[in-house]
């Protein structure tokens, strides 16, 4: 059974930092696949936040550029999202993504949770 398990969310004040972690179960992260992070705020659509491609290229949503950093540690089978200078608009449930489970696309026509794991809640006040 393949799944992604997110952790590291929490409640922080604006300007604070969090590091989200994602571990894979049933498969291993490697440099031949794409990984990413989505988020979904209450009443809003599932939003692609960041991607680390198999070519090691990165994508960041304009709203998080310069503040968030995606990384991958294959030895730990973990993907990270370092989030600095957090803002209240960053509040939402964050979901890890891997193209070993579903295609990582810019527009998701459903809730993030329909495609990915249970996510981890981030609340910025």
């Amino acid at each position: 059974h393949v799944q992604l398990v997110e952790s590291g969310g929490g409640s922080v004040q604006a300007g604070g930092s969090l590091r989200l972690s994602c571990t894979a179960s049933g498969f291993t992260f490697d440099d031949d696949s794409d990984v990413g992070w989505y988020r979904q705020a209450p009443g809003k659509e599932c939003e692609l936040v960041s991607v680390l491609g198999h070519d090691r290229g990165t994508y960041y949503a304009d709203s998080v550029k310069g503040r968030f950093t995606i990384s991958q540690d294959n030895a730990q089978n973990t993907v990270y999202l370092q989030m600095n200078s957090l803002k209240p608009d960053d509040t939402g449930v964050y979901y890890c993504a891997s193209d070993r489970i579903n295609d990582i696309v810019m527009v998701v026509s459903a809730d993030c949770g329909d495609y990915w794991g249970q996510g981890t809640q981030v609340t910025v006040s």
Side-chain angles (χ1 to χ4, degrees):
H1 177 63
V2 295
Q3 65 176 349
L4 299 167
V5 179
E6 303 91 344
S7 62
S11 296
V12 296
Q13 292 188 336
S17 297
L18 285 173
R19 187 176 77 158
L20 306 184
S21 299
C22 169
T23 57
S25 175
F27 71 101
T28 55
F29 291 124
D30 58 38
D31 291 340
D32 293 327
S33 59
D34 299 342
V35 293
W37 290 89
Y38 287 84
R39 70 184 178 188
Q40 189 158 22
K44 294 191 176 180
E45 296 182 343
C46 182
E47 176 190 17
L48 180 62
V49 174
S50 181
V51 178
L52 176 58
H54 61 277
D55 59 357
R56 303 297 91 183
T58 56
Y59 162 84
Y60 294 98
D62 287 343
S63 58
V64 308
K65 278 180 183 176
R67 301 187 298 119
F68 290 12
T69 304
I70 188 171
S71 62
Q72 180 175 329
D73 185 336
N74 293 341
Q76 298 295 322
N77 205 29
T78 303
V79 174
Y80 302 99
L81 185 68
Q82 177 66 44
M83 307 187 297
N84 298 327
S85 303
L86 283 162
K87 305 175 181 180
D89 283 349
D90 295 319
T91 294
V93 181
Y94 283 70
Y95 299 84
C96 178
S98 167
D99 66 359
R100 294 296 178 90
I101 295 180
N102 277 313
D103 291 338
I104 298 176
V105 296
M106 188 68 68
V107 177
V108 176
S109 57
D111 290 337
C112 289
D114 291 342
Y115 286 97
W116 308 115
Q118 295 200 355
T120 185
Q121 175 71 46
V122 172
T123 303
V124 185
S125 60

